[in-house]
Amino acid sequence: MGQGSFPRYRGSVKVHVANHPLITHKLTVLRDENTNSPTFRQLTEELVMLLAYEATREVKTVPQKIKTPVAETTGAVLAKPRPVVVPILRAGLGMLEGMTRLIPTAEVGFLGMVRDEVTLQASTYANRLPEDLRGRQCYVLDPMLATGGTLIAAFNYLIERGAQDITAITILAAPEGIKTVQDAFASSDFPITIVTGALDEKLNEKGYIVPGLGDAGDRLYGVV
Ligand code: URA
């Protein structure tokens, strides 16, 4: 596992792979097949908070004058309209709590996307998002960037509604998926950033990330 051979910038898609011992430690416990669902959920929340710190580096702020007990000063607070956080159902829901802890005033929209296990194509089956996303910074939450199909469909959905910029936070990513997303937006100048906890080796023939962590939805919520 490492930085992979894809360029960090390609078209408009920037990729940031976290490289931090705390993240690696938490990921190692998360990947372990013996880790139970409650621990998996707790670790996912903690990882999202760490990744969101990097992912929100470009969040818009406005200056605000305040008075401390000592002096007047100008600080900065989050600009309005607030960022929109978009978990991809179902596994992205496991990342929501960590993100809203970091930005409690963010608005939350939902995108339900399902992957056909044979064709691996993603399609939308539900959405709860403002129709007009003009001027909104969007943070897409999806734990596994595997083939890239789900993220491409989600990004196009948000871009069509006028999103200002998009940052996706993923726990793990496969090099194939990153390349597919970068290729899909290679001729676009729309600003997209992907922040991921680790870049794994590859996808297997079933579209699972290797070594990965298995099915993120199942590990979060059990097999239903
Ligand atoms: N989705 C998952 O939950 N796991 C994978 O490895 C790939 C896609």
Side-chain angles (χ1 to χ4, degrees):
M1 287 172 276
Q3 297 285 317
S5 56
F6 61 87
R8 188 168 181 278
Y9 293 88
R10 179 141 142 200
S12 58
V13 179
K14 251 194 270 181
V15 178
H16 178 88
V17 183
N19 182 15
H20 190 287
L22 263 186
I23 292 181
T24 308
H25 170 92
K26 289 180 194 296
L27 277 176
T28 303
V29 183
L30 194 80
R31 291 177 189 276
D32 190 328
E33 65 178 2
N34 294 315
T35 298
N36 61 22
S37 284
T39 310
F40 193 96
R41 285 198 291 269
Q42 174 68 32
L43 283 167
T44 301
E45 192 180 318
E46 292 170 12
L47 278 162
V48 172
M49 287 180 75
L50 294 170
L51 295 173
Y53 185 72
E54 181 60 40
T56 51
R57 201 168 274 287
E58 308 275 332
V59 70
K60 284 185 294 181
T61 59
V62 288
Q64 180 158 301
K65 282 194 177 145
I66 51 158
K67 240 166 109 181
T68 76
V70 180
E72 286 190 355
T73 187
T74 303
V77 294
L78 288 189
K80 288 188 180 147
R82 297 291 194 215
V84 182
V85 176
V86 186
I88 308 283
L89 304 179
R90 115 183 120 131
L93 268 188
M95 301 171 74
L96 183 57
E97 179 71 20
M99 190 68 189
T100 52
R101 273 197 188 205
L102 209 67
I103 313 186
T105 55
E107 278 183 34
V108 180
F110 297 91
L111 258 186
M113 315 217 60
V114 67
R115 183 172 79 144
D116 185 300
E117 291 302 327
V118 179
T119 64
L120 303 183
Q121 291 294 310
S123 58
T124 309
Y125 69 84
N127 94 70
R128 185 74 200 232
L129 273 168
E131 267 307 303
D132 186 356
L133 290 172
R134 277 175 296 177
R136 310 299 293 266
Q137 294 185 289
C138 295
Y139 294 89
V140 175
L141 308 179
D142 193 5
M144 308 298 273
L145 199 183
T147 61
T150 302
L151 279 192
I152 292 170
F155 292 168
N156 281 326
Y157 195 93
L158 300 173
I159 293 168
E160 277 162 23
R161 280 157 185 77
Q164 176 174 316
D165 56 52
I166 301 174
T167 302
I169 304 177
T170 75
I171 303 287
L172 298 181
E176 297 92 327
I178 298 240
K179 181 173 182 308
T180 303
V181 175
Q182 289 187 316
D183 286 349
F185 295 96
S187 58
S188 150
D189 58 6
F190 188 89
I192 296 174
T193 305
I194 297 170
V195 175
T196 188
L199 181 66
D200 275 12
E201 283 166 27
K202 60 175 183 181
L203 286 182
N204 69 14
E205 64 292 345
K206 291 186 175 155
Y208 278 87
I209 297 176
V210 179
L213 49 76
D215 186 299
D218 290 353
R219 299 222 38 206
L220 281 161
Y221 303 117
V223 184
V224 288

Tab-separated table of all heavy atoms in Angstrom, residues 53-112:
chain	number	residue	atom	x	y	z
A	53	TYR	N	-10.556	16.725	9.024
A	53	TYR	CA	-9.681	17.842	9.372
A	53	TYR	C	-8.895	18.267	8.131
A	53	TYR	O	-8.786	19.459	7.817
A	53	TYR	CB	-8.746	17.363	10.488
A	53	TYR	CG	-7.855	18.411	11.048
A	53	TYR	CD1	-8.358	19.419	11.868
A	53	TYR	CD2	-6.493	18.408	10.760
A	53	TYR	CE1	-7.521	20.386	12.382
A	53	TYR	CE2	-5.651	19.366	11.277
A	53	TYR	CZ	-6.164	20.352	12.086
A	53	TYR	OH	-5.338	21.313	12.597
A	54	GLU	N	-8.379	17.288	7.392
A	54	GLU	CA	-7.652	17.582	6.152
A	54	GLU	C	-8.630	18.021	5.048
A	54	GLU	O	-8.374	18.948	4.300
A	54	GLU	CB	-6.883	16.322	5.704
A	54	GLU	CG	-6.076	16.490	4.442
A	54	GLU	CD	-5.020	17.575	4.555
A	54	GLU	OE1	-4.383	17.682	5.618
A	54	GLU	OE2	-4.846	18.328	3.568
A	55	ALA	N	-9.774	17.346	4.990
A	55	ALA	CA	-10.719	17.587	3.892
A	55	ALA	C	-11.330	18.990	3.943
A	55	ALA	O	-11.770	19.508	2.924
A	55	ALA	CB	-11.830	16.533	3.931
A	56	THR	N	-11.373	19.585	5.117
A	56	THR	CA	-12.020	20.904	5.247
A	56	THR	C	-11.011	22.049	5.214
A	56	THR	O	-11.343	23.180	5.571
A	56	THR	CB	-12.833	20.981	6.562
A	56	THR	OG1	-11.980	20.558	7.639
A	56	THR	CG2	-14.056	20.090	6.522
A	57	ARG	N	-9.819	21.756	4.755
A	57	ARG	CA	-8.772	22.789	4.693
A	57	ARG	C	-9.220	24.002	3.883
A	57	ARG	O	-8.820	25.130	4.147
A	57	ARG	CB	-7.518	22.165	4.071
A	57	ARG	CG	-6.252	22.879	4.375
A	57	ARG	CD	-5.060	22.037	3.982
A	57	ARG	NE	-4.643	21.119	5.012
A	57	ARG	CZ	-4.017	21.494	6.123
A	57	ARG	NH1	-3.758	22.743	6.346
A	57	ARG	NH2	-3.646	20.601	7.020
A	58	GLU	N	-10.059	23.774	2.853
A	58	GLU	CA	-10.474	24.873	1.966
A	58	GLU	C	-11.900	25.337	2.267
A	58	GLU	O	-12.516	25.997	1.437
A	58	GLU	CB	-10.418	24.424	0.498
A	58	GLU	CG	-9.101	23.811	0.053
A	58	GLU	CD	-8.080	24.851	-0.364
A	58	GLU	OE1	-8.506	25.929	-0.818
A	58	GLU	OE2	-6.872	24.584	-0.212
A	59	VAL	N	-12.429	24.975	3.422
A	59	VAL	CA	-13.807	25.390	3.706
A	59	VAL	C	-13.849	26.919	3.818
A	59	VAL	O	-12.912	27.538	4.330
A	59	VAL	CB	-14.356	24.689	4.991
A	59	VAL	CG1	-13.700	25.196	6.247
A	59	VAL	CG2	-15.866	24.786	5.064
A	60	LYS	N	-14.957	27.506	3.283
A	60	LYS	CA	-15.013	28.979	3.213
A	60	LYS	C	-15.293	29.577	4.586
A	60	LYS	O	-16.167	29.094	5.317
A	60	LYS	CB	-16.125	29.417	2.255
A	60	LYS	CG	-15.763	29.249	0.796
A	60	LYS	CD	-16.847	29.801	-0.091
A	60	LYS	CE	-18.128	29.022	0.034
A	60	LYS	NZ	-19.225	29.479	-0.801
A	61	THR	N	-14.574	30.657	4.891
A	61	THR	CA	-14.801	31.380	6.146
A	61	THR	C	-14.960	32.865	5.832
A	61	THR	O	-14.595	33.314	4.743
A	61	THR	CB	-13.633	31.198	7.133
A	61	THR	OG1	-12.433	31.673	6.508
A	61	THR	CG2	-13.448	29.739	7.539
A	62	VAL	N	-15.513	33.585	6.783
A	62	VAL	CA	-15.582	35.056	6.673
A	62	VAL	C	-14.980	35.637	7.954
A	62	VAL	O	-15.082	35.021	9.025
A	62	VAL	CB	-17.038	35.555	6.498
A	62	VAL	CG1	-17.561	35.232	5.116
A	62	VAL	CG2	-17.949	34.997	7.574
A	63	PRO	N	-14.397	36.827	7.814
A	63	PRO	CA	-13.811	37.437	9.009
A	63	PRO	C	-14.894	37.806	10.018
A	63	PRO	O	-16.007	38.161	9.615
A	63	PRO	CB	-13.130	38.711	8.479
A	63	PRO	CG	-13.227	38.668	7.000
A	63	PRO	CD	-14.230	37.642	6.607
A	64	GLN	N	-14.607	37.688	11.279
A	64	GLN	CA	-15.569	38.126	12.314
A	64	GLN	C	-14.821	38.832	13.447
A	64	GLN	O	-13.877	38.283	14.003
A	64	GLN	CB	-16.337	36.931	12.874
A	64	GLN	CG	-17.330	37.372	13.941
A	64	GLN	CD	-18.441	36.366	14.115
A	64	GLN	OE1	-19.172	36.069	13.158
A	64	GLN	NE2	-18.567	35.819	15.296
A	65	LYS	N	-15.330	40.060	13.740
A	65	LYS	CA	-14.725	40.811	14.839
A	65	LYS	C	-15.274	40.289	16.144
A	65	LYS	O	-16.485	40.085	16.279
A	65	LYS	CB	-15.082	42.296	14.707
A	65	LYS	CG	-14.264	43.015	13.680
A	65	LYS	CD	-14.419	44.521	13.840
A	65	LYS	CE	-13.516	45.213	12.830
A	65	LYS	NZ	-14.070	46.438	12.312
A	66	ILE	N	-14.399	40.116	17.118
A	66	ILE	CA	-14.834	39.710	18.461
A	66	ILE	C	-14.013	40.479	19.497
A	66	ILE	O	-12.992	41.092	19.165
A	66	ILE	CB	-14.649	38.189	18.713
A	66	ILE	CG1	-13.215	37.757	18.367
A	66	ILE	CG2	-15.664	37.358	17.979
A	66	ILE	CD1	-12.798	36.485	19.060
A	67	LYS	N	-14.506	40.413	20.735
A	67	LYS	CA	-13.752	41.008	21.835
A	67	LYS	C	-13.389	39.892	22.783
A	67	LYS	O	-14.274	39.196	23.300
A	67	LYS	CB	-14.659	41.998	22.571
A	67	LYS	CG	-14.144	43.414	22.587
A	67	LYS	CD	-15.211	44.359	22.999
A	67	LYS	CE	-14.919	44.892	24.387
A	67	LYS	NZ	-15.973	45.814	24.815
A	68	THR	N	-12.123	39.650	22.989
A	68	THR	CA	-11.716	38.695	24.025
A	68	THR	C	-11.710	39.462	25.355
A	68	THR	O	-11.872	40.690	25.354
A	68	THR	CB	-10.298	38.140	23.742
A	68	THR	OG1	-9.342	39.143	24.097
A	68	THR	CG2	-10.123	37.734	22.291
A	69	PRO	N	-11.520	38.794	26.480
A	69	PRO	CA	-11.436	39.547	27.735
A	69	PRO	C	-10.266	40.540	27.740
A	69	PRO	O	-10.196	41.425	28.576
A	69	PRO	CB	-11.218	38.447	28.788
A	69	PRO	CG	-11.797	37.224	28.170
A	69	PRO	CD	-11.518	37.341	26.700
A	70	VAL	N	-9.364	40.397	26.745
A	70	VAL	CA	-8.150	41.215	26.741
A	70	VAL	C	-8.161	42.298	25.670
A	70	VAL	O	-7.715	43.413	25.890
A	70	VAL	CB	-6.904	40.297	26.555
A	70	VAL	CG1	-5.623	41.105	26.555
A	70	VAL	CG2	-6.873	39.218	27.620
A	71	ALA	N	-8.686	41.986	24.481
A	71	ALA	CA	-8.574	42.936	23.367
A	71	ALA	C	-9.605	42.610	22.286
A	71	ALA	O	-10.195	41.535	22.285
A	71	ALA	CB	-7.177	42.849	22.777
A	72	GLU	N	-9.763	43.592	21.381
A	72	GLU	CA	-10.568	43.323	20.181
A	72	GLU	C	-9.683	42.633	19.163
A	72	GLU	O	-8.499	42.925	19.065
A	72	GLU	CB	-11.100	44.627	19.595
A	72	GLU	CG	-12.211	45.208	20.411
A	72	GLU	CD	-12.911	46.360	19.716
A	72	GLU	OE1	-12.476	46.767	18.628
A	72	GLU	OE2	-13.904	46.833	20.296
A	73	THR	N	-10.283	41.699	18.409
A	73	THR	CA	-9.503	41.026	17.376
A	73	THR	C	-10.451	40.567	16.275
A	73	THR	O	-11.671	40.588	16.455
A	73	THR	CB	-8.715	39.811	17.949
A	73	THR	OG1	-7.861	39.296	16.937
A	73	THR	CG2	-9.634	38.695	18.420
A	74	THR	N	-9.884	40.205	15.146
A	74	THR	CA	-10.707	39.671	14.059
A	74	THR	C	-10.349	38.209	13.846
A	74	THR	O	-9.194	37.883	13.565
A	74	THR	CB	-10.487	40.467	12.755
A	74	THR	OG1	-10.788	41.831	13.020
A	74	THR	CG2	-11.388	39.957	11.645
A	75	GLY	N	-11.338	37.342	14.023
A	75	GLY	CA	-11.139	35.923	13.774
A	75	GLY	C	-11.802	35.541	12.462
A	75	GLY	O	-11.995	36.384	11.579
A	76	ALA	N	-12.175	34.286	12.314
A	76	ALA	CA	-12.857	33.815	11.103
A	76	ALA	C	-13.855	32.739	11.507
A	76	ALA	O	-13.555	31.909	12.377
A	76	ALA	CB	-11.855	33.265	10.109
A	77	VAL	N	-15.026	32.788	10.898
A	77	VAL	CA	-16.050	31.769	11.162
A	77	VAL	C	-16.522	31.199	9.828
A	77	VAL	O	-16.321	31.817	8.775
A	77	VAL	CB	-17.264	32.346	11.952
A	77	VAL	CG1	-16.848	32.759	13.349
A	77	VAL	CG2	-17.893	33.501	11.201
A	78	LEU	N	-17.149	30.048	9.872
A	78	LEU	CA	-17.632	29.423	8.640
A	78	LEU	C	-18.597	30.354	7.914
A	78	LEU	O	-19.472	30.965	8.536
A	78	LEU	CB	-18.373	28.118	8.950
A	78	LEU	CG	-17.542	26.917	9.408
A	78	LEU	CD1	-18.408	25.670	9.464
A	78	LEU	CD2	-16.340	26.702	8.493
A	79	ALA	N	-18.426	30.455	6.584
A	79	ALA	CA	-19.283	31.319	5.766
A	79	ALA	C	-20.647	30.662	5.574
A	79	ALA	O	-20.800	29.451	5.764
A	79	ALA	CB	-18.614	31.557	4.417
A	80	LYS	N	-21.634	31.482	5.190
A	80	LYS	CA	-22.944	30.958	4.802
A	80	LYS	C	-23.054	31.073	3.291
A	80	LYS	O	-22.522	32.032	2.745
A	80	LYS	CB	-24.045	31.748	5.495
A	80	LYS	CG	-24.101	31.410	6.966
A	80	LYS	CD	-25.310	32.041	7.615
A	80	LYS	CE	-25.306	31.658	9.095
A	80	LYS	NZ	-25.850	32.678	9.958
A	81	PRO	N	-23.740	30.240	2.548
A	81	PRO	CA	-24.441	29.088	3.084
A	81	PRO	C	-23.467	28.037	3.621
A	81	PRO	O	-22.334	27.938	3.161
A	81	PRO	CB	-25.210	28.549	1.866
A	81	PRO	CG	-24.418	28.992	0.682
A	81	PRO	CD	-23.793	30.299	1.077
A	82	ARG	N	-23.946	27.280	4.584
A	82	ARG	CA	-23.124	26.262	5.229
A	82	ARG	C	-22.770	25.147	4.256
A	82	ARG	O	-23.508	24.895	3.291
A	82	ARG	CB	-23.898	25.632	6.391
A	82	ARG	CG	-24.243	26.600	7.471
A	82	ARG	CD	-23.010	27.046	8.216
A	82	ARG	NE	-23.370	27.711	9.443
A	82	ARG	CZ	-22.696	28.745	9.952
A	82	ARG	NH1	-21.659	29.230	9.306
A	82	ARG	NH2	-23.074	29.276	11.095
A	83	PRO	N	-21.679	24.425	4.516
A	83	PRO	CA	-21.350	23.267	3.684
A	83	PRO	C	-22.459	22.211	3.747
A	83	PRO	O	-23.211	22.157	4.722
A	83	PRO	CB	-20.079	22.714	4.335
A	83	PRO	CG	-19.566	23.778	5.229
A	83	PRO	CD	-20.727	24.633	5.620
A	84	VAL	N	-22.547	21.423	2.690
A	84	VAL	CA	-23.521	20.325	2.653
A	84	VAL	C	-22.747	19.001	2.742
A	84	VAL	O	-21.820	18.779	1.961
A	84	VAL	CB	-24.345	20.341	1.344
A	84	VAL	CG1	-25.388	19.222	1.349
A	84	VAL	CG2	-25.018	21.688	1.139
A	85	VAL	N	-23.122	18.183	3.691
A	85	VAL	CA	-22.500	16.869	3.853
A	85	VAL	C	-23.427	15.835	3.222
A	85	VAL	O	-24.634	15.830	3.500
A	85	VAL	CB	-22.279	16.558	5.352
A	85	VAL	CG1	-21.723	15.155	5.538
A	85	VAL	CG2	-21.336	17.586	5.971
A	86	VAL	N	-22.871	14.994	2.354
A	86	VAL	CA	-23.706	14.049	1.600
A	86	VAL	C	-23.210	12.617	1.806
A	86	VAL	O	-22.326	12.147	1.082
A	86	VAL	CB	-23.694	14.385	0.088
A	86	VAL	CG1	-24.678	13.497	-0.669
A	86	VAL	CG2	-23.996	15.844	-0.159
A	87	PRO	N	-23.739	11.910	2.815
A	87	PRO	CA	-23.377	10.494	2.935
A	87	PRO	C	-24.054	9.680	1.843
A	87	PRO	O	-25.225	9.903	1.529
A	87	PRO	CB	-23.901	10.093	4.318
A	87	PRO	CG	-24.880	11.137	4.714
A	87	PRO	CD	-24.679	12.350	3.851
A	88	ILE	N	-23.306	8.758	1.253
A	88	ILE	CA	-23.887	7.847	0.263
A	88	ILE	C	-24.433	6.647	1.039
A	88	ILE	O	-23.685	5.956	1.741
A	88	ILE	CB	-22.825	7.354	-0.750
A	88	ILE	CG1	-22.048	8.518	-1.370
A	88	ILE	CG2	-23.463	6.457	-1.810
A	88	ILE	CD1	-22.749	9.283	-2.436
A	89	LEU	N	-25.729	6.400	0.904
A	89	LEU	CA	-26.367	5.289	1.625
A	89	LEU	C	-25.902	3.960	1.007
A	89	LEU	O	-25.701	3.901	-0.190
A	89	LEU	CB	-27.887	5.387	1.520
A	89	LEU	CG	-28.494	6.708	2.010
A	89	LEU	CD1	-30.006	6.682	1.834
A	89	LEU	CD2	-28.132	6.981	3.450
A	90	ARG	N	-25.666	2.863	1.776
A	90	ARG	CA	-25.911	2.874	3.186
A	90	ARG	C	-24.643	3.089	3.992
A	90	ARG	O	-24.676	3.672	5.070
A	90	ARG	CB	-26.604	1.531	3.514
A	90	ARG	CG	-25.914	0.550	4.383
A	90	ARG	CD	-26.693	-0.742	4.554
A	90	ARG	NE	-25.841	-1.793	4.054
A	90	ARG	CZ	-25.592	-2.907	4.726
A	90	ARG	NH1	-26.203	-3.143	5.855
A	90	ARG	NH2	-24.798	-3.803	4.226
A	91	ALA	N	-23.464	2.678	3.456
A	91	ALA	CA	-22.264	2.670	4.289
A	91	ALA	C	-21.794	4.079	4.672
A	91	ALA	O	-21.192	4.276	5.725
A	91	ALA	CB	-21.155	1.898	3.588
A	92	GLY	N	-22.110	5.081	3.821
A	92	GLY	CA	-21.691	6.451	4.129
A	92	GLY	C	-22.318	6.983	5.406
A	92	GLY	O	-21.785	7.902	6.042
A	93	LEU	N	-23.465	6.385	5.802
A	93	LEU	CA	-24.134	6.810	7.038
A	93	LEU	C	-23.223	6.627	8.251
A	93	LEU	O	-23.273	7.406	9.198
A	93	LEU	CB	-25.395	5.982	7.279
A	93	LEU	CG	-26.700	6.499	6.732
A	93	LEU	CD1	-27.831	5.639	7.247
A	93	LEU	CD2	-26.913	7.958	7.109
A	94	GLY	N	-22.391	5.598	8.196
A	94	GLY	CA	-21.473	5.312	9.299
A	94	GLY	C	-20.416	6.392	9.466
A	94	GLY	O	-19.692	6.408	10.465
A	95	MET	N	-20.315	7.288	8.466
A	95	MET	CA	-19.307	8.341	8.531
A	95	MET	C	-19.908	9.679	8.944
A	95	MET	O	-19.191	10.663	9.156
A	95	MET	CB	-18.626	8.488	7.158
A	95	MET	CG	-17.946	7.227	6.670
A	95	MET	SD	-17.384	7.359	4.959
A	95	MET	CE	-15.960	8.434	5.112
A	96	LEU	N	-21.239	9.724	9.028
A	96	LEU	CA	-21.913	11.013	9.230
A	96	LEU	C	-21.630	11.626	10.594
A	96	LEU	O	-21.365	12.822	10.710
A	96	LEU	CB	-23.423	10.822	9.016
A	96	LEU	CG	-24.273	12.073	9.123
A	96	LEU	CD1	-23.804	13.132	8.134
A	96	LEU	CD2	-25.741	11.737	8.871
A	97	GLU	N	-21.685	10.805	11.633
A	97	GLU	CA	-21.522	11.310	12.993
A	97	GLU	C	-20.158	12.003	13.166
A	97	GLU	O	-20.078	13.104	13.728
A	97	GLU	CB	-21.674	10.133	13.976
A	97	GLU	CG	-21.509	10.483	15.426
A	97	GLU	CD	-22.662	11.306	15.994
A	97	GLU	OE1	-23.747	11.278	15.392
A	97	GLU	OE2	-22.433	11.976	17.019
A	98	GLY	N	-19.107	11.384	12.632
A	98	GLY	CA	-17.761	11.974	12.751
A	98	GLY	C	-17.698	13.322	12.053
A	98	GLY	O	-17.093	14.273	12.543
A	99	MET	N	-18.357	13.408	10.886
A	99	MET	CA	-18.307	14.652	10.109
A	99	MET	C	-19.112	15.759	10.785
A	99	MET	O	-18.657	16.904	10.858
A	99	MET	CB	-18.868	14.349	8.708
A	99	MET	CG	-18.662	15.442	7.723
A	99	MET	SD	-16.908	15.615	7.322
A	99	MET	CE	-16.972	17.135	6.364
A	100	THR	N	-20.296	15.424	11.278
A	100	THR	CA	-21.127	16.477	11.889
A	100	THR	C	-20.588	16.885	13.269
A	100	THR	O	-20.901	17.946	13.763
A	100	THR	CB	-22.609	16.060	11.993
A	100	THR	OG1	-22.675	14.795	12.626
A	100	THR	CG2	-23.276	15.999	10.650
A	101	ARG	N	-19.763	16.043	13.866
A	101	ARG	CA	-19.095	16.476	15.107
A	101	ARG	C	-18.132	17.598	14.806
A	101	ARG	O	-17.951	18.510	15.592
A	101	ARG	CB	-18.320	15.325	15.713
A	101	ARG	CG	-19.180	14.513	16.590
A	101	ARG	CD	-18.312	13.683	17.461
A	101	ARG	NE	-19.164	12.778	18.170
A	101	ARG	CZ	-18.842	12.259	19.319
A	101	ARG	NH1	-17.698	12.550	19.860
A	101	ARG	NH2	-19.666	11.446	19.894
A	102	LEU	N	-17.472	17.455	13.641
A	102	LEU	CA	-16.486	18.468	13.263
A	102	LEU	C	-17.166	19.743	12.759
A	102	LEU	O	-16.723	20.849	13.047
A	102	LEU	CB	-15.570	17.905	12.175
A	102	LEU	CG	-14.173	18.468	12.156
A	102	LEU	CD1	-13.409	18.049	13.401
A	102	LEU	CD2	-13.426	17.991	10.925
A	103	ILE	N	-18.242	19.595	11.983
A	103	ILE	CA	-18.983	20.768	11.480
A	103	ILE	C	-20.448	20.613	11.891
A	103	ILE	O	-21.293	20.198	11.079
A	103	ILE	CB	-18.913	20.901	9.938
A	103	ILE	CG1	-17.491	20.725	9.425
A	103	ILE	CG2	-19.470	22.244	9.495
A	103	ILE	CD1	-17.341	20.993	7.932
A	104	PRO	N	-20.788	20.941	13.138
A	104	PRO	CA	-22.151	20.695	13.611
A	104	PRO	C	-23.196	21.492	12.835
A	104	PRO	O	-24.354	21.093	12.767
A	104	PRO	CB	-22.117	21.148	15.076
A	104	PRO	CG	-20.685	21.313	15.430
A	104	PRO	CD	-19.908	21.499	14.163
A	105	THR	N	-22.813	22.629	12.235
A	105	THR	CA	-23.807	23.457	11.555
A	105	THR	C	-23.964	23.092	10.079
A	105	THR	O	-24.733	23.742	9.360
A	105	THR	CB	-23.423	24.952	11.658
A	105	THR	OG1	-22.094	25.104	11.152
A	105	THR	CG2	-23.495	25.444	13.087
A	106	ALA	N	-23.250	22.087	9.606
A	106	ALA	CA	-23.395	21.692	8.196
A	106	ALA	C	-24.806	21.162	7.951
A	106	ALA	O	-25.444	20.631	8.862
A	106	ALA	CB	-22.378	20.605	7.858
A	107	GLU	N	-25.283	21.347	6.718
A	107	GLU	CA	-26.556	20.710	6.345
A	107	GLU	C	-26.240	19.314	5.839
A	107	GLU	O	-25.157	19.063	5.315
A	107	GLU	CB	-27.242	21.504	5.247
A	107	GLU	CG	-28.003	22.684	5.797
A	107	GLU	CD	-28.738	23.414	4.696
A	107	GLU	OE1	-29.202	22.781	3.725
A	107	GLU	OE2	-28.815	24.635	4.815
A	108	VAL	N	-27.199	18.416	5.985
A	108	VAL	CA	-26.962	17.030	5.567
A	108	VAL	C	-27.973	16.641	4.490
A	108	VAL	O	-29.176	16.842	4.665
A	108	VAL	CB	-27.078	16.068	6.768
A	108	VAL	CG1	-26.829	14.631	6.324
A	108	VAL	CG2	-26.092	16.451	7.864
A	109	GLY	N	-27.478	16.155	3.369
A	109	GLY	CA	-28.346	15.620	2.321
A	109	GLY	C	-27.989	14.151	2.140
A	109	GLY	O	-26.926	13.716	2.577
A	110	PHE	N	-28.860	13.390	1.538
A	110	PHE	CA	-28.585	11.954	1.395
A	110	PHE	C	-28.675	11.543	-0.065
A	110	PHE	O	-29.541	12.024	-0.797
A	110	PHE	CB	-29.592	11.130	2.210
A	110	PHE	CG	-29.501	11.408	3.689
A	110	PHE	CD1	-30.282	12.388	4.270
A	110	PHE	CD2	-28.609	10.703	4.473
A	110	PHE	CE1	-30.187	12.670	5.624
A	110	PHE	CE2	-28.500	10.968	5.827
A	110	PHE	CZ	-29.298	11.952	6.405
A	111	LEU	N	-27.779	10.654	-0.463
A	111	LEU	CA	-27.854	10.066	-1.812
A	111	LEU	C	-27.827	8.551	-1.642
A	111	LEU	O	-26.902	8.009	-1.015
A	111	LEU	CB	-26.638	10.479	-2.635
A	111	LEU	CG	-26.777	11.586	-3.663
A	111	LEU	CD1	-25.489	11.709	-4.459
A	111	LEU	CD2	-27.953	11.372	-4.593
A	112	GLY	N	-28.843	7.896	-2.153
A	112	GLY	CA	-28.881	6.435	-2.104
A	112	GLY	C	-28.381	5.898	-3.426
A	112	GLY	O	-28.998	6.128	-4.466
